[in-house]
Amino acid sequence: MASSTVGAQPSFSTLAISTNEPVVSVDWLHAHLKDPDLKVLDASWYMPDEQRNPIQEYQVGHIPGALFFDIDGISDRTTNLPHMLPSEEAFAAAVSALGITNKDGVVVYDGKGIFSAARVWWMFRAFGHDKVWVLDGGLPKWHASGYDVELSASNDAILKASAASEAIEKVYQGQMVGPTIFQTKFQPHLVWTFDQVKRNIQDKTYQHIDARSKARFDGVAPEPRKGISSGHIPGSKCIPFPQMLDGSQTLLSREELEKEFDQEGISLDKPVVISCGTGVTACILGLGLHRLGRTDVPVYDGSWTEWAMHPDTPVCTSET
């Protein structure tokens, strides 16, 4: 199947992939790495307790030509919640600073396999850009396949990453930014707010799936962020995000994914909303659901961190 393209010029996206499929293989990426309308993003991000520095790791080694996408930097500056979705204007400014246009296809990867890259896949889709895919297995799979990496970051790549952060700051400070070459079209059906989640507890219209570990969901293990108690949103079910992946950190087949959701009592014929700790790993559930044809699944962006910070929200644990 071929995904839609802009204009008459054939581009990489007419060759072999469809926006119905959320991932591409390392072999596919290696074959198309020099395509002019393809942009590759290193969107590595790690949990606070992992003590890994993604920009330093990017500078030490990355897929040739990849640019660095800073999840914490390309975010909403008006909230104290971590890496929330920025405004349309801010996202357009940052992506434009990276040199990405609407005719480009985007492949996102990370240093764990499939982890934070899924968040950036969802961000692009939330702003109306469907020509975006996650690299199946990420940088570890790229290494395992014997493909080369660039061992240092070019000045241009570092300048673009800095320019993206500066563009975000300028937008939120009301200052002028450079030319916008990437146009956004916000898709509100892919993003849920605190109020929508609260309303759904009563309405039960959407099946709510939480991607955190069962221990955090049950309230028997601590959250990785200080001051946040564990537990879960009433009515939600737990499918830890690793259940979407196989041992090589690639996305499970359709049949295997269907089995995972079915085992947890999730009906793929009914609406679903997904969340996690801070809106990152929920997007891995989103990849799995997308592979199963559910391309309309919203992410609760504030996720458990926002929910647990509110003093009057109901919280469930295994004891309750």
Side-chain angles (χ1 to χ4, degrees), residues 69-118:
F69 186 104
D70 183 359
I71 286 178
D72 284 329
I74 302 176
S75 63
D76 185 357
R77 294 291 198 273
T78 66
T79 175
N80 61 345
L81 292 167
H83 43 251
M84 290 285 282
L85 201 65
S87 67
E88 281 193 81
E89 185 185 357
F91 188 81
V95 171
S96 296
L98 289 171
I100 297 171
T101 70
N102 295 90
K103 69 179 173 60
D104 290 327
V106 180
V107 173
V108 195
Y109 74 89
D110 61 58
K112 294 188 99 171
I114 291 183
F115 189 65
S116 51

Side-chain angles (χ1 to χ4, degrees), residues 22-26 28-29 38-45 63 66-71 91 98 100 105-111 113-125 129-139 287:
V23 297
V24 295
S25 70
V26 293
W28 186 93
L29 180 59
L38 178 66
K39 298 293 192 297
V40 182
L41 298 178
D42 183 326
S44 299
W45 174 89
I63 291 175
L67 297 170
F68 186 74
F69 186 104
D70 183 359
I71 286 178
F91 188 81
L98 289 171
I100 297 171
V106 180
V107 173
V108 195
Y109 74 89
D110 61 58
I114 291 183
F115 189 65
S116 51
R119 168 76 183 186
V120 177
W121 167 81
W122 169 76
M123 291 174 74
F124 272 92
R125 293 180 59 249
H129 190 76
D130 284 338
K131 290 187 289 184
V132 58
W133 299 268
V134 168
L135 182 63
D136 210 8
L139 192 58
L287 285 178

Side-chain angles (χ1 to χ4, degrees), residues 20-39:
N20 293 331
E21 183 57 45
V23 297
V24 295
S25 70
V26 293
D27 295 337
W28 186 93
L29 180 59
H30 185 258
H32 294 279
L33 206 51
K34 290 185 168 57
D35 289 359
D37 292 343
L38 178 66
K39 298 293 192 297

Side-chain angles (χ1 to χ4, degrees), residues 208-262:
H208 188 148
I209 314 176
D210 190 321
R212 291 175 302 148
S213 71
K214 191 73 166 64
R216 287 166 62 189
F217 181 87
D218 285 340
V220 297
E223 288 294 307
R225 295 179 185 276
K226 292 179 181 177
I228 304 293
S229 60
S230 54
H232 61 269
I233 295 166
S236 60
K237 294 184 176 181
C238 181
I239 303 181
F241 74 87
Q243 292 179 213
M244 299 292 101
L245 311 173
D246 64 17
S248 62
Q249 298 300 293
T250 56
L251 194 61
L252 295 178
S253 69
R254 287 178 178 83
E255 293 75 23
E256 291 168 316
L257 288 166
E258 284 175 353
K259 185 178 177 182
E260 291 293 337
F261 288 107
D262 185 57

